[in-house]
Amino acid sequence: MPTQTDTARSLPRAADSERHVWLRARLCSSRQRIQVIAACAISMAMGHSVLAGPVPRGLDDFTVTTWNESDGLSASRLTAIEQDQDGYLWIGTDVGVLRFDGVRFQPFNRLGETRLPDSPVTTLLSASDRSLWVGIGPGVSRIHGGTITSYGERDGFDSYATSLLEDRTGTIWAGTGRGLLRFDGRRWQHADIESPFAGRAVLAMHVDRAGRFWVATRDAVFRRGAAGGRFEQVEVIGLSSNIWQAFSEDDEGGVWISDFREGFRRVADQRAARQQRGWGVQLIHDRRRNLWVATRGQGLWRVHGAGGRTRTHQVDVITAKDGLANDAIQCVYEDREGNIWVGTHAGLQRLTPHKVTPVTDLPIARGTSATPDGSVWVGTTAGLTRISAAGRRHYQEQQGLPGIVVLALYADPQGTLWVATEGGLARFADERFTLIRKLSGEQRVFSIATSDGSVWVRDVSSRLRRLADSGEELPIDEIPGVFQTTAMTLSADRAGRLWIGARGGRLGVRDPGGAFRSFDPGIGSITAIFEDSIGTMWFGGEAGLSRLANGEFLSLTRKNGLPSSVNSIVDDDKGDLWLGLRTGIARLEKEEIARAAGTSDYRLHYRLFNSADGAAGVPVTEGSRTAARGRDGRLWFATSGGVTVVDPENIGASRPPVPVQIEAVLADAKRFDPVTNLRLPARTSHVQFAFTALTLTDSAQVQFQYRLDGVDDDWVDAGTTRQTSYTNLSPGPYRFQLRGGIGDGVWSAQAAALDFSIPPMFYQTGWFYALCFVVAFSAVYGSWRLHARHVRRQFALVLAERIRMSRAIHDTLLQGLAGLALQLDDLSHGLVSAPPTLRERVLHMRRRVEDAIRDARQSIWDLRSPESRPLPEALRDVGQRVIDGRPIALDMLVTGTPQRCSSRAQEQLLLICQEALTNAVQHGQPTHVGVDLEYCGNAVRVRVRDDGCGFDPGALDAAAGHYGVISMKERAAQVRGSVTIASTPGEGTQVEAVVPSV
């Protein structure tokens, strides 16, 4: 990881004479005059306070971050720095070029099959057409989109590039060891054939705001007017600086140049005082009116007031002892976010301007407080520090402090300061300490508040105690036991009420007089309590922030975008709220709170300040108040690395939303560029996306959210991870979206999006599925047809055999029995004179033969009954055959819509009906028999009714030897049907059979 150093100084390091020179140099414009007056006023008000004086020295007002070879930066000399149009930082080295997104260094030497030359990089240029020009080796290369184009001697580029420049018309110029070249879109042409420096090495170029073209050679400076024409010599340099030269322009139009002897100077201004000696190689003017000069061995120079016609300038020489990685610097660059980048022989450094002021020359801070006299108090592990208009004063045991480690601070409305240390509790009034009570061990106090004439404290064991001014402990019976043993922080409001924040999210308030109420704001254990300037109570907890106004709580938690627990709360003069979070110091504007009050799930927008902005660590608390507002409006936070001072009126502009970019797509480990409508290979099972945030300030803290349309229902939090993957994606089109944020609730204004698709394999296409369906359907249908054919063949064989048997029985047995019956009939007629017994025996034999004939006919009918006939017709045939000429009327009634039923069900219905008709004819002696066939839904119902003598069904079931009824019920059960019999002696009988049709 890069190393980061925050530096601040409490005392000015400039001497009085230096201040005088600085003031004289700065009084050159009304804007500068206002800044100077403000600086002087602050300096007079604070005295020897945390302000670093009128002119920042060294790196006091910057956060310094360093990268070297352990962070992926090649262990080589850095030669050039440039930021492209997308926001990447490009770094030229003597072994190639690197691309940096603020977190990762990526060696860049090829695109597709085209490679960059393996040579040192001499210069870089980001052009307006989004291309990057690289002076590398004896030539130049252009990186644009997905291609690299290299130009060498055959393209007119016949030397090493010392500088590159794009003019107002978009023309690219190159300074080389053999002169000035201009690119015509295809080739490089010499543009100095008729110039006074023709054939000489061009070391630096610049186009000023007036359109004039400046050129520096080894020994002179030339200039051409905005309208073109010839170059005119402006000055003679006199002593060459080898190949390292650079121009820069101040905000008043003055052109400056690096110098081999004095480090820097204004062009054609030989009268300027020589204040410093050094080998200047590159220089830039930043947006804060500073001139930065990179030197070869004399460190980095920051020149204050390098503008206008000032003859003398205050030079702040920054070297390794001030935090610079190395005193040998090759390049310096300011990015679009205002960071200063320094390329040294020992690595790359980023100087990020402070937006808040760190105070790191104090011991570890444990609490802050402000008293009405304008003093700001900071309790530390080495005593108590008071910062006021009179300066800074430190209190220890020698000054009456009852200990060395301050554990808690509290300033009551009367201006009395209460201090708890490891040795006891004291109050500070009338410029002296008064010991209230000695405390040690488990009695050590971590939170203090005064209410109802008493001092309330919370000790290290989270026990709540009440003390009189004399130190005597008083009872607190009116406080519930849970608040007496789990208290975390205390505070008192202007009305004298005591507020107790406890573990488990419990919040209690004791009114003067003893009445007690408790609440649960829903923000977890209470860690901070604050009353703002209009009397509204605010509470910070492990799960968020809560406001009590007009008797109602408004709680803001992670669902509203708060990133972490709230450790401290304070407001500024505008009424905006400042929160000490675990991730930094956040400003929450009152308008945002109003919006959240109107929408329960509103996502808060806030501004976050962390170490990259100058904060000395993150806010901390152990129960005592750790945020205070001074009388001058500045806010003081106790943070993990010291004290952080915030001037709400001087925090600069908000950072813009973070731009994000999808860098690559990996499909089954094969890399693809994120082009529009990307088509991945078929059968892709694993898709990985690599992405980044194109911000160079605090890049490692950027958080990401992504969503794959069609897969993710909502945005997925990726944290700071810069890649994600999906597995087992189905073929089809997809859209991957990405956005980033810097932890302030504001996400990228426009999400980066990538449309891609995965084509199906032939077996994943619709026509293949259709073909499979057709094949499967054909296979099933063909199998069914074959099975049906086989069944029909078997059925036909069985039916043919049954018909053959019925025919054989008819032609043999039945005919023989019929003949025998006729013979017996003749015999009976011939035995008129025979004994009655013999005649009776013959008649009995004839009846037996007739019965046998009837049984044979029934068997023949049974064998032929499976023939396919409609059920009504088959029932009518059964009825007519059973009645067989008897004086019995037969009625047939069919109702419902006829439907087919299984052959087995039809066969059983016919047999049941035959049994019922036979019983009616043989035993009931009816004169009328009816057969009703009813089709109802999924069932078929048959009723056989007669008007015969009837019987008792109960007596019949109990009688032995009557199996007709049992047989009918068994036949119905075989086809999941039922048979019911209704009969009354003398009133006929009804037999009903119901079987399912399917």
Side-chain angles (χ1 to χ4, degrees):
M1 293 292 293
T3 58
Q4 193 171 81
T5 306
D6 295 327
T7 60
R9 301 294 185 267
S10 61
L11 298 176
R13 297 192 301 175
D16 291 342
S17 60
E18 291 177 311
R19 289 186 180 181
H20 178 71
V21 171
W22 176 81
L23 287 172
R24 186 180 62 185
R26 294 291 276 181
L27 292 175
C28 299
S29 68
S30 60
R31 179 181 176 185
Q32 293 169 328
R33 190 173 296 111
I34 292 173
Q35 292 174 339
V36 170
I37 293 172
C40 292
I42 295 174
S43 178
M44 291 175 62
M46 293 303 299
H48 299 286
S49 68
V50 299
L51 294 179
V55 178
R57 302 300 304 273
L59 298 176
D60 293 351
D61 53 342
F62 288 89
T63 297
V64 182
T65 309
T66 303
W67 290 268
N68 50 38
E69 58 271 16
S70 63
D71 305 300
L73 181 65
S74 58
S76 58
R77 186 166 56 98
L78 306 187
T79 58
I81 302 174
E82 182 79 358
Q83 187 177 24
D84 67 15
Q85 297 293 323
D86 291 328
Y88 287 106
L89 196 71
W90 293 80
I91 302 163
T93 73
D94 52 13
V95 294
V97 64
L98 303 172
R99 191 178 71 177
F100 185 49
D101 63 358
V103 175
R104 299 170 299 187
F105 292 94
Q106 294 180 325
F108 197 92
N109 62 353
R110 66 184 302 164
L111 276 173
E113 300 298 325
T114 308
R115 296 181 61 90
L116 286 174
D118 295 326
S119 300
V121 174
T122 56
T123 184
L124 296 169
L125 170 67
S126 176
S128 58
D129 64 352
R130 309 186 74 84
S131 63
L132 181 76
W133 292 85
V134 183
I136 184 167
V140 66
S141 295
R142 179 176 182 259
I143 303 173
H144 185 258
T147 61
I148 296 176
T149 307
S150 295
Y151 301 91
E153 187 172 359
R154 64 180 182 178
D155 305 298
F157 209 102
D158 55 357
S159 183
Y160 284 86
T162 57
S163 59
L164 291 168
L165 178 140
E166 181 182 22
D167 66 16
R168 292 183 175 182
T169 66
T171 301
I172 305 298
W173 299 79
T176 73
R178 296 183 180 180
L180 181 64
L181 300 180
R182 181 181 60 217
F183 186 61
D184 64 6
R186 296 184 302 107
R187 292 181 53 82
W188 291 89
Q189 306 289 340
H190 272 278
D192 59 347
I193 298 177
E194 298 180 359
S195 68
F197 56 87
R200 286 189 281 179
V202 173
L203 305 182
M205 297 178 294
H206 176 69
V207 175
D208 64 19
R209 66 188 62 185
R212 296 174 298 182
F213 199 124
W214 298 74
V215 173
T217 65
R218 293 180 185 273
D219 51 12
V221 176
F222 300 86
R223 183 179 63 198
R224 187 180 70 179
R230 292 179 57 83
F231 283 92
E232 303 293 339
Q233 182 171 303
V234 177
E235 71 168 16
V236 176
I237 294 178
L239 182 63
S240 168
S241 62
N242 201 4
I243 64 171
W244 307 111
Q245 201 84 38
F247 286 109
S248 184
E249 185 177 359
D250 61 34
D251 58 359
E252 295 183 3
V255 177
W256 300 70
I257 191 170
S258 58
D259 187 84
F260 181 69
R261 294 174 299 182
E262 284 124 22
F264 69 99
R265 59 185 174 80
R266 186 184 175 103
V267 176
D269 187 5
Q270 302 296 334
R271 296 172 299 170
R274 307 305 186 209
Q275 297 175 281
Q276 202 73 30
R277 293 286 178 174
W279 182 3
V281 293
Q282 192 175 18
L283 73 171
I284 61 167
H285 281 85
D286 69 11
R287 64 190 64 184
R288 291 170 294 277
R289 300 171 58 87
N290 295 316
L291 174 66
W292 297 85
V293 183
T295 71
R296 296 295 299 274
Q298 294 80 37
L300 178 67
W301 298 359
R302 178 164 58 164
V303 184
H304 304 275
R309 296 290 176 177
T310 305
R311 295 291 180 266
T312 58
H313 311 285
Q314 181 172 333
V315 180
D316 188 9
V317 178
I318 305 167
T319 61
K321 66 181 181 180
D322 300 302
L324 208 61
N326 191 281
D327 290 343
I329 303 171
Q330 183 64 44
C331 46
V332 60
Y333 182 82
E334 183 185 28
D335 66 22
R336 291 196 288 270
E337 299 174 53
N339 299 299
I340 303 298
W341 295 85
V342 182
T344 75
H345 285 193
L348 177 69
Q349 291 188 292
R350 181 186 65 200
L351 313 183
T352 303
H354 286 167
K355 295 179 180 177
V356 297
T357 304
V359 183
T360 58
D361 61 345
L362 291 174
I364 297 175
R366 300 182 61 89
T368 61
S369 192
T371 49
D373 62 358
S375 299
V376 174
W377 301 81
V378 180
T380 72
T381 56
L384 181 65
T385 299
R386 181 184 191 180
I387 303 169
S388 66
R392 181 188 291 190
R393 184 177 179 184
H394 195 61
Y395 298 88
Q396 291 183 324
E397 291 176 303
Q398 296 86 341
Q399 289 77 33
L401 193 67
I404 191 64
V405 179
V406 175
L407 302 176
L409 282 179
Y410 175 74
D412 65 22
Q414 291 72 37
T416 300
L417 182 71
W418 299 82
V419 185
T421 70
E422 84 283 5
L425 174 67
R427 67 169 175 263
F428 183 84
D430 300 327
E431 297 301 318
R432 65 187 182 88
F433 289 97
T434 300
L435 180 65
I436 301 301
R437 183 168 180 166
K438 289 186 176 181
L439 301 171
S440 62
E442 294 184 355
Q443 295 182 341
R444 291 175 179 173
V445 170
F446 284 81
S447 187
I448 312 170
T450 59
S451 173
D452 205 9
S454 303
V455 182
W456 299 79
V457 298
R458 188 273 288 182
D459 63 22
V460 69
S461 300
S462 298
R463 294 189 61 84
L464 180 66
R465 301 176 184 273
R466 181 181 185 184
L467 304 176
D469 284 348
S470 61
E472 177 186 0
E473 188 165 351
L474 303 176
I476 52 173
D477 297 337
E478 72 276 15
I479 306 295
V482 66
F483 286 93
Q484 294 186 29
T485 57
T486 63
M488 295 187 67
T489 186
L490 308 176
S491 184
D493 61 20
R494 297 185 185 93
R497 295 174 296 185
L498 175 69
W499 293 87
I500 306 170
R503 291 191 180 93
R506 290 179 289 269
L507 174 67
V509 57
R510 180 188 181 276
D511 296 327
F516 190 87
R517 290 165 293 159
S518 63
F519 313 92
D520 184 358
I523 56 173
S525 298
I526 309 296
T527 55
I529 302 175
F530 174 72
E531 183 182 18
D532 66 17
S533 55
I534 62 174
T536 301
M537 296 301 302
W538 296 88
F539 310 97
E542 293 179 346
L545 174 72
S546 187
R547 181 190 70 182
L548 177 59
N550 300 321
E552 295 183 358
F553 282 94
L554 169 66
S555 295
L556 307 174
T557 60
R558 294 183 187 275
K559 73 175 183 178
N560 302 105
L562 283 181
S564 62
S565 63
V566 178
N567 292 332
S568 53
I569 311 172
V570 70
D571 63 349
D572 59 21
D573 292 336
K574 294 181 178 179
D576 294 334
L577 215 60
W578 292 76
L579 309 178
L581 309 175
R582 290 180 182 175
T583 54
I585 300 170
R587 183 187 71 177
L588 187 59
E589 297 180 0
K590 54 187 176 183
E591 291 80 5
E592 283 294 297
I593 299 172
R595 295 186 187 100
T599 306
S600 61
D601 57 350
Y602 179 75
R603 300 287 293 185
L604 293 168
H605 294 173
Y606 50 90
R607 189 169 176 188
L608 186 68
F609 300 86
N610 54 24
S611 57
D613 301 299
V618 295
V620 296
T621 186
E622 290 186 15
S624 180
R625 181 170 296 179
T626 55
R629 180 177 62 178
R631 192 163 59 182
D632 60 358
R634 292 187 302 164
L635 311 178
W636 298 72
F637 288 86
T639 47
S640 57
V643 175
T644 300
V645 184
V646 180
D647 183 358
E649 299 297 328
N650 189 26
I651 54 176
S654 299
R655 291 172 60 184
V658 177
V660 293
Q661 184 161 313
I662 303 169
E663 292 189 311
V665 179
L666 280 76
D668 291 339
K670 185 177 180 181
R671 182 184 177 92
F672 295 86
D673 291 328
V675 298
T676 304
N677 296 322
L678 174 65
R679 186 178 176 88
L680 300 180
R683 297 184 63 183
T684 296
S685 62
H686 184 269
V687 180
Q688 184 175 356
F689 301 93
F691 43 81
T692 189
L694 297 178
T695 175
L696 299 176
T697 302
D698 201 23
S699 308
Q701 301 302 319
V702 174
Q703 299 181 357
F704 298 91
Q705 288 185 336
Y706 62 85
R707 180 174 65 192
L708 184 61
D709 294 348
V711 177
D712 301 318
D713 296 330
D714 200 355
W715 290 97
V716 179
D717 289 320
T720 58
T721 303
R722 300 192 172 213
Q723 63 180 24
T724 188
S725 60
Y726 291 86
T727 57
N728 301 323
L729 292 179
S730 303
Y734 294 93
R735 184 179 180 85
F736 180 75
Q737 298 187 72
L738 175 72
R739 65 185 185 182
I742 55 176
D744 58 359
V746 180
W747 296 96
S748 304
Q750 184 175 2
L754 173 66
D755 294 310
F756 69 98
S757 62
I758 302 176
M761 292 295 291
F762 72 92
Y763 53 80
Q764 295 174 314
T765 57
W767 65 264
F768 180 79
Y769 290 139
L771 178 62
C772 290
F773 175 78
V774 170
V775 171
F777 178 80
S778 299
V780 172
Y781 180 73
S783 176
W784 177 81
R785 289 293 301 271
L786 291 174
H787 177 71
R789 183 181 299 174
H790 178 68
V791 169
R792 284 196 296 270
R793 183 181 297 113
Q794 288 183 327
F795 182 76
L797 292 175
V798 171
L799 185 58
E801 180 64 19
R802 296 176 67 169
I803 292 174
R804 186 193 63 79
M805 292 178 61
S806 65
R807 188 180 299 113
I809 294 174
H810 180 272
D811 294 341
T812 56
L813 178 61
L814 184 60
Q815 295 299 328
L817 290 175
L820 180 60
L822 291 174
Q823 294 178 13
L824 290 174
D825 185 64
D826 293 339
L827 181 62
S828 64
H829 287 90
L831 296 177
V832 177
S833 58
T837 56
L838 178 60
R839 185 177 178 182
E840 186 65 28
R841 288 184 63 186
V842 171
L843 290 175
H844 178 70
M845 291 175 64
R846 180 190 171 197
R847 286 194 295 269
R848 292 285 300 274
V849 171
E850 288 177 351
D851 290 340
I853 291 173
R854 199 164 33 251
D855 291 340
R857 286 177 177 171
Q858 178 66 38
S859 296
I860 292 172
W861 188 85
D862 289 344
L863 287 172
R864 300 181 67 92
S865 64
E867 291 180 324
S868 178
R869 290 187 298 167
L871 185 58
E873 181 182 344
L875 287 175
R876 186 178 299 276
D877 290 346
V878 168
Q880 291 177 351
R881 182 174 55 81
V882 171
I883 293 174
D884 193 22
R886 292 182 175 86
I888 300 174
L890 175 65
D891 291 335
M892 185 73 186
L893 177 63
V894 180
T895 59
T897 303
Q899 53 185 325
R900 295 182 61 84
C901 58
S902 64
S903 58
R904 181 173 175 78
Q906 179 170 316
E907 179 183 356
Q908 298 303 327
L909 275 177
L910 289 174
L911 295 175
I912 292 171
C913 185
Q914 175 181 292
E915 182 68 27
L917 288 169
T918 300
N919 291 336
V921 170
Q922 291 183 355
H923 306 293
Q925 300 175 1
T927 60
H928 181 274
V929 175
V931 179
D932 299 334
L933 174 62
E934 180 183 358
Y935 295 99
C936 49
N938 295 325
V940 179
R941 178 180 285 107
V942 177
R943 297 187 190 92
V944 178
R945 46 187 172 76
D946 66 73
D947 58 355
C949 61
F951 64 96
D952 183 3
L956 181 63
D957 291 341
H962 298 278
Y963 300 103
V965 174
I966 297 175
S967 175
M968 286 189 292
K969 291 182 177 181
E970 288 177 348
R971 289 184 183 278
Q974 290 179 7
V975 290
R976 297 179 292 114
S978 62
V979 171
T980 57
I981 300 175
S983 180
T984 302
E987 296 183 5
T989 303
Q990 176 176 292
V991 178
E992 181 179 85
V994 181
V995 299
S997 60
V998 292

